[in-house]
Amino acid sequence: KKMSYVYVLLSLKDGKRYTGITDDLDRRIEEHNSGMVKSTKHRTPFKLIYYEWSEDIRDAMNREKYLKTYYGKHYIKNRVRYSQEQ
């Protein structure tokens, strides 16, 4: 069964986070860092600061949606409090 990953990247350029979903985490991070992702290509480089996996794509999509909300962003901020220290 294919895993789905919800991930949070930190832009080392502007200090902002990006939340996404993928079935291949290593490939997706490489795509972000090589400028292949339209929405993030001007914010490279990125550092992976958080991820979760799920066996069900629907669960992962709901989790991604939650992490993009006000409360979800606070959850991530509290979970990865020290990630911005490089």
Side-chain angles (χ1 to χ4, degrees):
K1 201 167 186 181
K2 207 165 202 174
M3 294 289 176
S4 295
Y5 298 89
V6 178
Y7 62 94
V8 180
L9 301 176
L10 176 69
S11 167
L12 301 179
K13 182 176 184 178
D14 64 16
K16 294 181 181 173
R17 296 184 190 94
Y18 175 86
T19 302
I21 191 169
T22 186
D23 61 4
D24 186 336
L25 193 56
D26 292 331
R27 185 201 77 231
R28 192 62 176 153
I29 294 167
E30 178 58 36
E31 288 172 354
H32 280 288
N33 278 321
S34 63
M36 293 170 61
V37 181
K38 191 175 179 182
S39 61
T40 62
K41 69 180 179 180
H42 300 296
R43 299 171 53 207
T44 60
F46 288 92
K47 178 170 93 169
L48 178 68
I49 59 169
Y50 183 82
Y51 72 94
E52 301 175 357
W53 63 268
S54 177
E55 290 184 354
D56 189 306
I57 184 69
R58 293 165 301 186
D59 289 339
M61 290 170 71
N62 286 332
R63 188 65 174 156
E64 178 195 24
K65 198 178 287 187
Y66 170 74
L67 291 177
K68 289 181 174 183
T69 68
Y70 173 83
Y71 295 105
K73 288 177 182 179
H74 271 279
Y75 172 82
I76 293 297
K77 196 173 181 180
N78 289 328
R79 291 278 308 187
V80 294
R81 191 164 295 182
Y82 305 107
S83 67
Q84 288 178 321
E85 299 170 5
Q86 275 123 43

